[in-house]
Amino acid sequence: MPTYRTDLIQPIVGQTSFGIWDLLNKGSDPFGAPTRAAITAEDGIRLLGKIGVPFVSLHDLDVGLDPWVTPNAKALDARKAEIAASLRESGVQVWMYTPCLFHHPLVRAGSVTANDARVRRMSLQKMIFALDVAEELGARWLTFWLGRDGAEVDALIDAKAAYARIADAVAMATAYIRGKGYQIRISLEPKPNEPRGDIYVATVGHALGIINLLPEADRNLVGVNPELLQHEAMAGLNGYHAIGLLAAAGKLAFLHLGGQTPLRYDQDHPFLGGNSDLKQSFYIILGMLRHAPKTICEFDCHPFRTEAGDDAREAFIRGNLEALGIMVAKAKSFLALPEARELLAETDARGFGFTADPATDPDGFRQALFAGEWNADTVAASLSPNAQALDRLVNLHLLGMA
Ligand code: GLT
Ligand code: MN
């Protein structure tokens, strides 16, 4: 294993997390058998503790707390105590907890969107059970990744009903959280496709649209965790814009990070790994630093299938941390470049170019808008968007030449 650079890791490790399912991942894919030996959830948690990663996220299924697999309250309680002990001993906290609503054959035509009310009922029961476990384990978020809620044959489920059912499910969760006085909040994680031909919560825009369908009082309990690069890049979308939209809406819950070649299947490469777009990765971290510098960066990706050695998982964890450290350092130093500061100065303020802020003083803003004369030719003669100059600076800086 290479010596990963602690000078890059140390500044960011405190705001990181890993999905336990990513550490349990054995390298199998739809065409090939596992390449890595199995480990237990406890092994994974211990490894994170050893490296100093403060958070982990858990699927009920992966940590033996799935009530569909173990329909036995006593056994589930005993298992919960084991997981809690492992977290305590390792000094690792739960960042998010999620009811797996995509694995069981029962949810083959959707979980909370299924036409069959019995399947919807079982799915909602699982969600409520997960909320109790999550709160008890101290999780900050319960994530809804509704990967099985989508379609290949659209005749099967009315799409309006599907979105209403998703909103109902989320509203049920928020009502339960409020009723119990829980601290946890809900995050929606979008993905355009895979495993379904089309997934209903396809993009961050879809997720925001669903939040808008909720009762107003519940909306503050719900955020969005985009998965970047992967889930946005799979649809050829811009992850930097995804962060910007969520920041503007006050809905950025946290980030899922990983690597991805655009327009391919969900590769879940390590962050910056494989043919990941370095510039897009840079912009994502730039957006994060500008708008949510302390947000939790959770790596939701896994080692390449080629990595089968005993230290594959440790190298994977350290490698992701170092890759994030590299980009955070790059984005910070970019923002500190005098030339960048000068070129960017104009874009800083909301309603730039006017003294009044359209958000807080719409009347003043409108007056400023119509005050004074302007002339298209004068404006055109002095327009300087600086795009070429900034792009050059980004390239030089990213490649270590400025
Ligand atoms: C699944 C998916 C991830 C989600 C997980 C959370 S499940 O592994 O690929 O992107 O974050 O439910
Ligand atoms: Mn994810």
Side-chain angles (χ1 to χ4, degrees):
M1 187 168 59
T3 308
Y4 289 93
R5 283 186 40 186
T6 46
D7 62 315
L8 293 168
I9 293 175
Q10 190 273 330
I12 51 89
V13 68
Q15 69 183 103
T16 61
S17 176
F18 281 78
I20 196 72
W21 59 95
D22 297 309
L23 302 182
L24 298 180
N25 180 288
K26 292 182 287 187
S28 56
D29 64 24
F31 305 95
T35 57
R36 287 184 287 279
I39 60 166
T40 64
E42 282 92 327
D43 292 335
I45 291 169
R46 208 171 300 121
L47 187 54
L48 292 176
K50 174 182 136 186
I51 297 173
V53 175
F55 295 107
V56 67
S57 289
L58 309 173
H59 277 161
D60 56 0
L61 176 65
D62 289 339
V63 294
L65 288 171
D66 188 329
W68 287 352
V69 177
T70 314
N72 174 323
K74 266 203 179 139
L76 289 170
D77 268 351
R79 182 62 188 144
K80 196 167 52 189
E82 283 175 8
I83 293 292
S86 150
L87 290 161
R88 227 177 11 253
E89 281 156 23
S90 311
V92 177
Q93 300 178 52
V94 183
W95 180 248
M96 70 90 150
Y97 188 83
T98 168
C100 175
L101 293 169
F102 53 88
H103 189 263
H104 199 284
L106 186 77
V107 295
R108 58 184 173 271
S111 64
V112 298
T113 59
N115 277 337
D116 192 309
R118 294 168 303 174
V119 175
R120 297 207 299 276
R121 184 163 169 234
M122 289 185 66
S123 301
L124 293 172
Q125 272 183 14
K126 195 180 206 267
M127 175 190 81
I128 296 292
F129 181 77
L131 275 169
D132 289 336
V133 175
E135 182 78 10
E136 201 178 321
L137 292 177
R140 314 294 209 280
W141 295 92
L142 183 119
T143 294
F144 259 138
W145 177 63
L146 297 174
R148 209 43 88 173
D149 291 276
E152 292 81 33
V153 178
D154 275 324
L156 184 64
I157 299 181
D158 172 50
K160 180 183 171 194
Y163 285 106
R165 286 169 184 164
I166 292 173
D168 285 352
V170 178
M172 186 168 161
T174 50
Y176 188 72
I177 289 171
R178 270 193 287 103
K180 289 265 181 181
Y182 283 176
Q183 295 300 306
I184 197 164
R185 283 178 289 165
I186 304 288
S187 75
L188 301 175
E189 179 173 339
K191 186 175 179 182
N193 59 273
E194 203 192 335
R196 300 310 301 270
D198 290 287
I199 292 177
Y200 292 123
V201 190
T203 66
V204 296
H206 288 75
L208 288 180
I210 287 163
I211 296 177
N212 219 40
L213 297 177
L214 300 175
E216 209 169 334
D218 288 353
R219 291 182 200 161
N220 65 335
L221 290 176
V222 187
V224 181
N225 68 286
E227 183 171 295
L228 309 169
L229 306 176
Q230 305 99 298
H231 293 181
E232 299 297 310
M234 284 171 67
L237 296 176
N238 183 320
Y240 175 68
H241 294 185
I243 292 190
L245 175 61
L246 292 175
K251 287 292 172 202
L252 181 62
F254 57 93
L255 294 177
H256 267 184
L257 288 183
Q260 173 77 30
T261 309
L263 302 175
R264 298 277 168 90
Y265 68 96
D266 188 10
Q267 294 173 318
D268 278 338
H269 288 332
F271 187 55
L272 307 187
N275 287 329
S276 298
D277 185 327
L278 287 183
K279 218 159 159 182
Q280 178 75 181
S281 307
F282 168 79
Y283 276 119
I284 282 165
I285 300 304
L286 191 75
M288 188 266 269
L289 285 181
R290 275 182 173 156
H291 302 298
K294 299 210 161 75
T295 200
I296 293 295
C297 295
E298 174 159 282
F299 298 98
D300 186 10
C301 49
H302 46 72
F304 297 115
R305 187 165 184 268
T306 50
E307 307 310 291
D310 285 345
D311 61 7
R313 290 175 174 98
E314 180 166 346
F316 164 76
I317 296 171
R318 293 189 192 277
N320 273 295
L321 296 173
E322 186 187 75
L324 176 61
I326 291 171
M327 269 313 172
V328 167
K330 274 286 165 193
K332 274 193 177 156
S333 50
F334 175 77
L335 288 172
L337 288 176
E339 207 179 329
R341 292 168 76 109
E342 199 181 307
L343 290 168
L344 287 170
E346 265 216 336
T347 74
D348 271 356
R350 182 169 188 159
F352 59 93
F354 297 96
T355 44
D357 184 335
T360 56
D361 179 15
D363 291 340
F365 184 74
R366 205 180 48 252
Q367 276 156 19
L369 201 60
F370 286 101
E373 297 290 314
W374 63 275
N375 165 308
D377 292 337
T378 338
V379 174
S382 57
L383 264 188
S384 55
N386 298 327
Q388 162 86 19
L390 273 165
D391 196 34
R392 168 179 177 266
L393 201 57
V394 169
N395 290 337
L396 284 171
H397 190 66
L398 202 50
L399 298 173
M401 294 170 184

